């Protein structure tokens, strides 16, 4: 049976350890599972022959909590956890979250804001000049001077503020192994400046050992939004492991030097990392605290790929994992699923076989192997590239093999699926089997909006692609006798989205007969192209101005328009319709969003259709058609499901006779 890595001196003594090599600090609870970055790094170091101890969620207010396991021999590896700590702590409205799925018992407040900086400064305080390497999503996205939504200003690179020696960006396995080997060989950490996928500080820009490009300095991007947009554009263009150059950015009297990205792991390396001896559970020290909720979503799930060439502008994946896709072998995934069937809590259901995008298994085109991804265009949006290889054959074969494993009842796919990629697959075989075998009642996809100009700013396909997908999905469900629903993810207030665009989205939803339960307001996370648009009002791809909804009241109206049926949203929806001159959507027609209020009349000259008397019941209220009534899920009544409502049978009703 696999054992957890030491988390205390007692654990080390049980192993007869009186010293150890690396301390891995994480802002998450200690969950030894391959979907947790610190678990991967610690197990990888262990496999390389190093002694590793884990310090999870240390009390940053108490310096002694960082010395509880003693001083490591070679260095400290530090991560804020699976999420940026500010995203983990605050909603898009900048309200403090009341829970934290990555902490024991779902408790908030067990890690600090800006955890990478706070933890690193404590390490410097207690261990002095020990080699300190920061990594994880928070460090990766903040490696350059970046706009910080919570402070509403540009902050310096996290490498500067943390006082770390090195910053590892991206997934980090290659860089971690190379850094550890150099430290073990007694190379001073200040001389480790050639590792791809890392950043370091230098006194001169020519300290960079690779072909490089300099972007506007921290001082420039802090004061000039055009300079910020130019820097962001270059940072995105060079984030490619084949053609990418190093990036140099001055911060006061020093330079942050980001070496070119590391190559992604190949299939054999990815298999090896996925099958390290993880316990695959939270540490038992959390049992009395209620466990760690984040494990529930991934305990019986399998990640089969990495990277995403979908490249949505608001998504941080392209800037962290990168756009080049790699995938695990069938044999490795099959071994993992067989392992899961032996878990005492397994009930026959694999919750997901996915990744950043579930239905990607190979590079988007053959040219990427030699030339990398295209600098000035995306693979899928606004239209699919003619060179796109939209082939699901390998993924389909993998799913069929998994379904045949003894003990498997159902294999679900719950990761994001790119519907535009599916629609480019002419065979349609995967689409058919997805509907037949792999949906757990609802399929969630992300059209995000319906106005094509807004979708262009998002980096998403035009709405016609989604509508064709939706229609085909409905036909396939009818063909196979399935009662499965499509849940579209939608976003309000993205840069480029005006109040008029938000009204169009509400009309589109109304025409389709659905109203989303949950609405996502655009969240400006560090480093993304969309965040650059939000801060600068400039699209960095074109350097042209873009409208940005930043007023909280307008954002509230955009959000309310997507849930126009809710009574508490009525004042905001009414104001939005009046501001945009769309009072024609106030009335009794099926195209209308709001009914006139008490004592109100629709404006003269408008053709509003009142309910017909013959459609009224005894109460005087309009009857609802029973066949084909669209019923939205009601949070206050969980028994009502989204779908087509069936007519209720009348009491004591006799069955109709066949008149034939």
């Amino acid at each position: 049976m696999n054992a957890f890595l030491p988390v205390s001196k007692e654990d080390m003594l049980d192993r007869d350890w009186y010293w150890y090599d690396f301390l891995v600090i994480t802002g998450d609870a200690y969950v030894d599972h391959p979907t947790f970055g610190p678990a991967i790094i610690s197990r990888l170091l262990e496999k390389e022959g190093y002694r590793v101890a884990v310090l999870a969620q240390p009390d940053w207010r108490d310096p002694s909590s960082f010395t509880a396991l003693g001083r490591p021999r070679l260095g400290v590896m530090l991560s804020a956890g699976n999420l940026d700590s500010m995203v983990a702590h605050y909603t898009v409205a900048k309200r403090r979250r009341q829970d934290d799925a990555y902490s024991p018992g779902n408790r908030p407040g067990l890690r600090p804001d800006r955890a990478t900086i706070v933890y690193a400064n404590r390490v410097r305080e207690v261990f002095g000049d020990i080699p300190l390497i920061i990594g994880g999503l928070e460090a990766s996205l903040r490696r350059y001077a970046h706009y910080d939504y919570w402070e509403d200003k540009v902050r310096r690179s996290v490498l500067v503020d943390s006082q770390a020696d090195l910053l590892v960006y991206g997934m980090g396995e290659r860089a971690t192994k190379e850094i550890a080997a150099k430290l073990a060989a007694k190379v001073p950490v200040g001389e480790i400046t050639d590792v791809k996928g890392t950043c370091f500080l230098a006194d001169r820009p020519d300290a960079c050992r690779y072909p490089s490009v300099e972007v506007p300095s921290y001082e420039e991007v802090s004061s000039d939004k055009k300079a910020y947009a130019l820097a962001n554009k270059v940072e995105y263009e060079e984030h490619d492991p084949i053609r990418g150059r190093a990036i140099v950015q001055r911060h006061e009297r020093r330079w942050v030097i980001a070496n070119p990205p590391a190559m992604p792991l190949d299939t054999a390396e990815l298999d090896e990392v996925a099958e390290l001896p993880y316990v695959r559970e939270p540490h038992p020290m959390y049992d009395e605290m209620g466990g760690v909720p984040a494990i529930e979503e991934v305990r019986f799930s399998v990640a089969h790929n990495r990277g995403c060439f979908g490249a949505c502008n608001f998504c941080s994946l392209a800037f962290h994992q990168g756009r080049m896709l790699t995938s695990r072998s069938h044999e490795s995934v099959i071994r993992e699923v067989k392992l899961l069937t032996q878990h005492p809590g397994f009930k026959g259901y694999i919750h997901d076989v996915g990744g950043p995008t579930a239905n990607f298994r190979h590079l988007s085109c053959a040219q990427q192997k030699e030339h990398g991804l295209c600098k000035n265009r995306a693979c899928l949006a606004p239209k699919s590239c003619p060179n796109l290889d939209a082939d699901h054959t390998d993924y389909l074969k993998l799913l069929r093999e998994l379904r045949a494993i003894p003990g498997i009842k159902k294999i679900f796919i719950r990761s994001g699926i790119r519907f535009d990629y599916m629609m480019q697959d002419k065979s349609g075989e995967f689409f058919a089997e997805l509907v037949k075998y792999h949906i757990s009642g609802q399929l969630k996809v992300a059209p995000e909006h319906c106005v094509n100009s807004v979708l262009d700013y998002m980096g998403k396909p035009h709405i016609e692609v989604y509508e064709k997908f939706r229609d085909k999905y409905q036909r396939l469900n009818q063909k196979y006798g399935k009662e499965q629903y499509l849940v579209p993810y939608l976003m309000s207030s993205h840069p480029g989205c005006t109040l008029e665009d938000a009204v169009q989205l509400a009309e589109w939803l109304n025409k389709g007969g659905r109203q989303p339960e949950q609405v996502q307001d655009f969240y400006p996370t560090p480093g993304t192209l969309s965040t650059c648009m939000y801060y600068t009002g400039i699209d960095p791809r074109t350097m042209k101005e873009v409208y940005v909804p930043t007023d909280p009241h307008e954002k509230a109206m955009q959000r309310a328009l997507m849930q126009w049926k809710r009574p508490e949203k009525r004042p905001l929806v009414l104001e939005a319709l009046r501001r945009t001159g769309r009072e024609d959507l106030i009335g009794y027609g099926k195209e209308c969003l709001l009914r006139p209020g008490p004592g109100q009349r629709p404006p003269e000259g408008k053709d509003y259709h009142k309910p017909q008397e013959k459609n009224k019941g005894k109460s005087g209220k309009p009857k609802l058609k029973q066949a084909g009534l669209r019923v939205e899920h009601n949070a206050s009544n969980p028994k009502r499901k989204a779908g087509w409502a069936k007519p209720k049978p009348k009491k004591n009703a006799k069955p109709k006779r066949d008149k034939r």
Side-chain angles (χ1 to χ4, degrees):
M1 182 177 176
N2 298 336
F4 288 94
L5 293 169
V7 297
S8 66
K9 282 194 173 181
E10 290 77 11
D11 288 349
M12 288 193 287
L13 290 173
D14 287 344
R15 295 181 176 220
D16 288 329
W17 288 8
Y18 296 92
W19 54 268
Y20 69 107
D21 295 307
F22 287 103
L23 177 63
V24 174
I25 300 176
T26 171
D28 294 335
Y30 178 28
V31 181
D32 193 28
H33 190 278
T35 57
F36 287 71
I40 293 175
I41 294 302
S42 57
R43 287 296 183 184
L44 184 69
L45 290 169
E46 179 191 41
K47 183 181 184 301
E48 293 297 305
Y50 303 106
R51 293 183 177 184
V52 184
V54 176
L55 182 60
Q57 296 185 323
D59 183 355
W60 68 96
R61 292 155 297 217
D62 179 9
S64 65
S65 66
F66 288 79
T67 58
L69 291 95
R71 182 186 177 95
R73 187 173 67 93
L74 296 178
V76 175
M77 304 275 186
L78 188 157
S79 166
N82 272 11
L83 298 178
D84 184 281
S85 58
M86 299 303 286
V87 175
H89 286 172
Y90 298 96
T91 68
V92 67
K94 300 184 181 179
R95 297 192 185 96
R96 191 86 182 184
R97 297 189 194 275
Q98 300 303 308
D99 50 32
D100 183 349
Y102 290 91
S103 294
N106 217 16
R107 289 171 53 195
L110 296 185
R111 78 184 106 202
D113 288 354
R114 310 189 192 286
T116 300
I117 295 172
V118 175
Y119 288 157
N121 289 338
R122 281 300 192 201
V123 169
R124 278 282 174 253
E125 180 183 345
V126 298
F127 292 136
D129 61 353
I130 194 168
L132 172 58
I133 298 93
I134 59 174
L137 184 70
E138 180 168 284
S140 190
L141 299 184
R142 296 174 181 266
R143 61 188 183 267
Y144 306 112
H146 57 280
Y147 171 71
D148 185 86
Y149 172 66
W150 302 273
E151 288 189 350
D152 192 25
K153 72 174 189 180
V154 176
R155 289 183 62 96
R156 299 184 298 183
S157 165
V158 69
L159 181 61
V160 177
D161 289 335
S162 67
Q163 306 179 66
D165 294 297
L166 290 170
L167 183 156
V168 175
Y169 68 88
M171 297 307 286
E173 291 96 344
R174 287 190 187 279
T176 298
K177 286 170 66 174
E178 193 170 346
I179 292 167
K182 288 176 181 289
L183 291 174
K186 301 190 182 304
V187 176
V189 68
E191 296 179 13
I192 303 176
T193 59
D194 61 342
V195 178
K196 287 190 173 184
T198 66
C199 304
F200 63 95
L201 281 169
D203 294 327
R204 308 183 322 274
D206 59 4
C208 181
R209 301 193 188 185
Y210 296 95
S212 64
V213 55
E214 186 168 350
V215 297
S217 68
Y218 161 68
E219 289 78 12
E220 290 176 278
V221 300
S222 300
S223 58
D224 183 348
K225 291 185 176 180
K226 187 175 181 181
Y228 186 100
L230 283 168
N232 192 245
K233 180 176 187 289
V234 174
E235 290 157 9
Y236 253 78
E237 288 175 348
E238 300 300 333
H239 187 63
D240 186 274
I242 292 177
R243 57 166 177 76
R245 294 174 290 176
I247 291 177
V248 178
Q249 185 178 50
R250 184 168 61 83
H251 281 61
E252 298 163 346
R253 296 183 180 181
R254 304 192 77 189
W255 278 262
V256 170
I257 297 178
N259 289 331
M263 280 295 294
L265 302 184
D266 61 27
T267 294
E269 291 168 322
L270 206 54
D271 288 352
E272 182 182 325
V273 166
E275 297 185 76
L276 292 170
Y278 308 101
V279 179
R280 307 184 72 90
E281 290 290 331
H283 195 282
M285 63 183 169
Y286 304 123
D287 289 350
E288 292 183 0
M289 305 179 209
V292 182
I295 190 64
E296 301 304 327
E297 285 295 314
V298 298
R299 179 179 275 127
F300 299 119
S301 296
V302 177
H304 73 94
N305 65 14
R306 274 192 188 175
C308 179
F309 52 77
C312 301
N313 291 336
F314 50 82
C315 179
S316 60
L317 277 173
F319 208 46
H320 180 59
Q321 288 197 16
R323 293 167 57 197
M324 182 167 283
L325 195 110
T326 55
S327 56
R328 292 169 61 189
S329 69
H330 290 214
E331 295 77 14
S332 174
V333 176
I334 289 168
R335 285 194 294 270
E336 183 171 353
V337 170
K338 286 182 176 178
L339 182 66
L340 292 178
T341 63
Q342 300 168 21
H343 191 286
F346 185 69
K347 293 180 169 46
Y349 301 96
I350 298 296
H351 296 163
D352 189 24
V353 179
T357 297
N359 55 323
F360 291 170
R361 278 284 296 173
H362 52 78
L363 299 176
S364 61
C365 72
Q367 298 177 26
Q368 289 176 26
K369 291 181 180 179
E370 184 177 353
H371 303 292
L373 283 104
C374 297
K375 185 180 282 191
N376 298 316
R377 69 160 300 159
C379 301
L380 289 164
K383 293 182 179 179
S384 295
C385 175
N387 296 321
L388 182 71
D389 180 17
D391 184 0
H392 290 85
T393 303
D394 189 49
Y395 189 37
L396 194 56
K397 182 183 177 185
L398 173 63
L399 292 170
R400 287 170 177 167
E401 291 169 343
L402 297 178
R403 294 202 304 262
I405 293 174
I408 297 296
K409 296 178 182 176
K410 193 89 171 179
I411 301 280
F412 295 122
I413 300 173
R414 289 179 176 169
S415 298
I417 285 181
R418 283 300 293 236
F419 59 84
D420 45 350
Y421 185 75
M422 284 178 62
M423 295 303 287
Q424 291 295 312
D425 186 346
K426 304 305 178 186
S427 77
E429 208 174 357
F430 171 70
F431 205 157
E433 293 205 12
L434 172 71
V435 171
K436 287 173 73 175
Y437 302 117
H438 300 294
I439 296 172
S440 58
Q442 295 180 337
L443 177 64
K444 297 175 181 179
V445 293
E448 300 296 358
H449 213 279
C450 74
V451 178
N452 288 339
S453 61
V454 179
L455 292 166
D456 287 342
Y457 286 118
M458 292 178 165
K460 298 290 289 186
H462 287 181
I463 195 60
E464 296 81 9
V465 181
Y466 170 75
E467 290 173 338
K468 289 178 182 177
F469 170 83
R470 177 195 62 197
D471 295 344
K472 185 172 181 179
Y473 179 77
Q474 291 172 347
R475 291 195 302 271
L476 286 170
N477 274 282
Q478 290 171 359
K479 178 179 178 180
Y480 298 119
K482 299 286 186 178
E483 191 176 355
Q484 298 173 149
Y485 309 107
L486 195 61
V487 178
Y489 284 150
L490 300 164
M491 185 184 294
S492 65
S493 302
H494 187 276
C497 183
T498 64
L499 198 55
E500 289 80 6
D501 295 329
V503 172
Q504 285 191 53
L505 178 57
E507 287 186 278
W508 181 78
L509 288 166
N510 188 33
K511 184 179 178 182
R514 73 174 303 123
Q515 175 177 258
E517 267 227 24
Q518 295 180 338
V519 178
Q520 176 61 53
D521 226 353
F522 168 64
Y523 202 145
T525 51
T528 68
L529 291 174
S530 294
T531 298
C532 177
M533 295 181 211
Y534 176 87
Y535 169 60
T536 64
I538 298 170
D539 184 343
R541 300 168 300 174
T542 63
M543 297 306 293
K544 293 181 180 179
E545 290 188 9
V546 54
Y547 173 77
V548 181
T550 56
D551 176 61
H553 190 64
E554 182 189 344
K555 291 171 75 172
M557 284 191 287
Q558 289 206 23
R559 192 164 54 248
L561 279 162
M562 294 166 68
Q563 298 177 315
W564 70 92
K565 291 182 182 178
R566 294 192 175 185
E568 71 274 16
K569 305 290 185 184
R570 180 183 173 87
L572 286 168
V573 175
L574 190 60
E575 182 182 352
L577 296 178
R578 286 174 176 165
R579 276 200 193 186
T580 55
R582 295 302 309 274
E583 290 95 337
D584 57 302
L585 296 178
I586 306 168
Y588 297 106
K590 64 180 181 181
E591 75 282 0
C592 294
L593 300 179
L594 295 181
R595 300 290 178 258
Q600 292 180 338
R601 288 187 178 183
E604 292 183 10
K606 300 290 183 183
D607 183 18
Y608 294 103
H609 304 284
K610 294 184 178 180
Q612 298 295 320
E613 294 295 326
K614 63 181 180 181
N615 285 337
K616 287 188 176 181
K618 292 180 181 180
S619 64
K621 296 180 180 179
K623 288 182 178 179
L624 295 173
K625 292 180 183 178
Q626 287 189 328
L629 170 66
R630 189 68 178 175
V631 179
E632 291 299 328
H633 173 75
N634 187 337
S636 63
N637 183 2
K639 293 183 179 179
R640 294 182 66 188
K641 295 181 179 178
W644 296 99
K646 297 178 181 179
K648 292 183 179 179
K650 295 179 181 178
K651 290 182 179 179
N652 304 321
K654 296 181 180 179
K656 291 184 179 179
R657 281 201 236 168
D658 189 341
K659 292 184 179 179
R660 292 178 297 175

